[in-house]
């Protein structure tokens, strides 16, 4: 799928989709980089996400639409988080 030097933030085409493995040291970085992405599905590969009440809302292995994730306004993570983002290709 990828070599170690291109492991993160390298977009790959798979059928009619685009797949990206991304690594973020902060949730704000993730939010900024996904601001303009629509109709995507996100899988947490490493780390966990917490809501504003410090309740864990997503763990490694959880899958959620990016739109649903954006609805959790104040989610945070005390650790580095890796995601798999799958989105449809636009023509």
């Amino acid at each position: 799928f990828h070599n170690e030097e291109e492991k993160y933030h390298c977009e790959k085409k798979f059928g009619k989709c685009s797949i990206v493995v991304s690594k973020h040291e902060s949730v704000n970085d993730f939010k900024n980089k996904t601001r303009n992405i629509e109709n995507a599905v996100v899988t947490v590969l490493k780390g966990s996400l917490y809501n504003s009440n410090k309740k864990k809302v997503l763990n490694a292995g959880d899958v959620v639409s990016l739109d649903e994730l954006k609805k959790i306004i104040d989610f945070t993570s005390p650790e580095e988080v890796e995601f798999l983002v799958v989105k449809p290709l636009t023509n």
Side-chain angles (χ1 to χ4, degrees), residues 2-85:
H2 57 262
N3 64 41
E4 277 304 308
E5 293 158 12
E6 295 180 339
K7 185 173 183 176
Y8 299 109
H9 309 286
C10 181
E11 191 169 329
K12 301 288 184 176
K13 293 179 184 177
F14 186 77
K16 295 183 179 184
C17 294
S18 165
I19 300 173
V20 176
V21 176
S22 62
K23 177 176 165 180
H24 304 276
E25 292 185 22
S26 74
V27 171
N28 285 335
D29 180 48
F30 174 75
K31 288 178 181 180
N32 288 334
K33 289 186 176 167
T34 59
R35 183 177 312 135
N36 297 321
I37 298 175
E38 296 179 357
N39 302 318
V41 176
V42 178
T43 302
V44 180
L45 298 178
K46 177 182 172 189
S48 299
L49 298 176
Y50 300 82
N51 65 14
S52 58
N53 296 325
K54 298 185 180 177
K55 180 181 175 188
K56 195 179 288 188
V57 291
L58 291 173
N59 291 308
D62 288 340
V63 180
V64 65
S65 75
L66 184 57
D67 292 338
E68 287 297 315
L69 183 56
K70 288 177 180 179
K71 288 179 185 177
I72 305 171
I73 297 169
D74 292 325
F75 68 89
T76 62
S77 180
E79 59 197 346
E80 190 173 78
V81 182
E82 292 181 13
F83 297 96
L84 175 70
V85 180

